[in-house]
């Protein structure tokens, strides 16, 4: 029964430490796998997330290229914690997928580049928008990598992924 329960995945929107810890407790109580969606403050409890074997779908809550980095408001420290969330999760070997602010891919490359610029390893950033994202979302059997029999979109970029000025030229 427990092995069967672990096959079920509980996906929950949780951004604050309090919400994340509540989701971790709920998943543990019911013996189900957990995917945290949002994860704004997940870096602060990355060790707990790792011990639970959970994954995080980190949502870039802004348009990375439009952010005013000169902001000196009191919330800046919270923003900096958010900026480093993927890196903190990677340091604990927590699986991470990245989605853009609108969940529609409008700036997915920018969100992944932003995470990489804030300490998230580049190879993990690329996987977080391809193969790892597909695995976390349960669709790796048909998406996420280029293999015979899988659906695929090819993206032509103007520069190396996450490089200066990289933008999408075309998709196929």
């Amino acid at each position: 029964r427990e092995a069967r329960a672990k096959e079920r995945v509980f996906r929950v929107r949780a951004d604050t430490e309090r919400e994340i810890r509540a989701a971790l407790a709920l998943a543990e109580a019911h013996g189900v796998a957990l995917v945290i969606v949002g994860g704004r403050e997940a870096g602060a409890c990355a060790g707990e997330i790792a011990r639970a074997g959970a994954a995080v779908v980190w949502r870039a809550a802004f348009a990375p290229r439009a952010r005013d980095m000169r902001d000196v408001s009191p919330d800046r420290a919270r923003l900096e914690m958010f900026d480093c969330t993927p890196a903190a999760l990677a340091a604990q070997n927590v699986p991470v997928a990245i989605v853009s602010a609108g969940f529609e891919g409008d700036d997915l490359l920018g969100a992944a580049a932003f995470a990489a610029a804030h300490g998230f390893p580049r190879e993990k950033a690329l996987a977080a928008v391809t193969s790892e994202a597909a695995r976390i979302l349960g669709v790796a059997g048909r998406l996420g990598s280029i293999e015979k029999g899988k659906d695929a979109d090819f993206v032509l970029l103007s520069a190396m992924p996450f490089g200066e000025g990289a933008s999408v030229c075309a998709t196929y």
Side-chain angles (χ1 to χ4, degrees):
R1 176 172 154 88
E2 185 174 320
R4 182 177 225 186
K6 279 292 187 179
E7 291 174 8
R8 294 185 308 196
V9 178
F10 178 50
R11 290 180 182 88
V12 63
R13 174 67 188 258
D15 280 309
T16 67
E17 287 181 60
R18 183 172 161 262
E19 293 168 343
I20 293 165
R21 287 190 173 108
L24 289 166
L26 186 62
E28 181 180 5
H30 292 280
V32 296
L34 177 65
V35 175
I36 297 163
V37 179
R40 185 176 63 232
E41 297 178 8
C45 43
E48 294 166 63
I49 295 168
R51 285 189 293 281
V56 175
V57 177
W58 182 75
R59 181 175 181 256
F62 57 89
R65 292 186 180 107
R67 181 138 164 223
D68 183 359
M69 299 309 286
R70 298 167 296 178
D71 180 12
V72 292
S73 68
D75 287 337
R76 183 68 193 155
R78 291 186 74 74
L79 286 173
E80 288 173 358
M81 178 179 69
F82 169 79
D83 294 349
C84 298
T85 291
L89 294 168
Q92 295 291 325
N93 294 314
V94 173
V96 175
I98 295 175
V99 295
S100 62
F103 279 110
E104 297 186 18
D106 53 341
D107 202 5
L108 188 57
L109 182 61
F114 183 87
H118 288 84
F120 193 49
R122 288 177 179 265
E123 66 279 357
K124 287 189 181 253
L126 186 58
V129 297
T130 57
S131 59
E132 189 69 1
R135 191 189 67 72
I136 290 170
L137 296 174
V139 294
R142 63 180 187 86
L143 298 171
S145 59
I146 300 171
E147 297 177 45
K148 184 177 180 178
K150 286 189 172 184
D151 297 337
D153 291 324
F154 294 90
V155 179
L156 178 62
L157 302 173
S158 61
M160 292 297 289
F162 320 128
E164 183 70 30
S167 63
V168 176
C169 297
T171 58
Y172 304 94

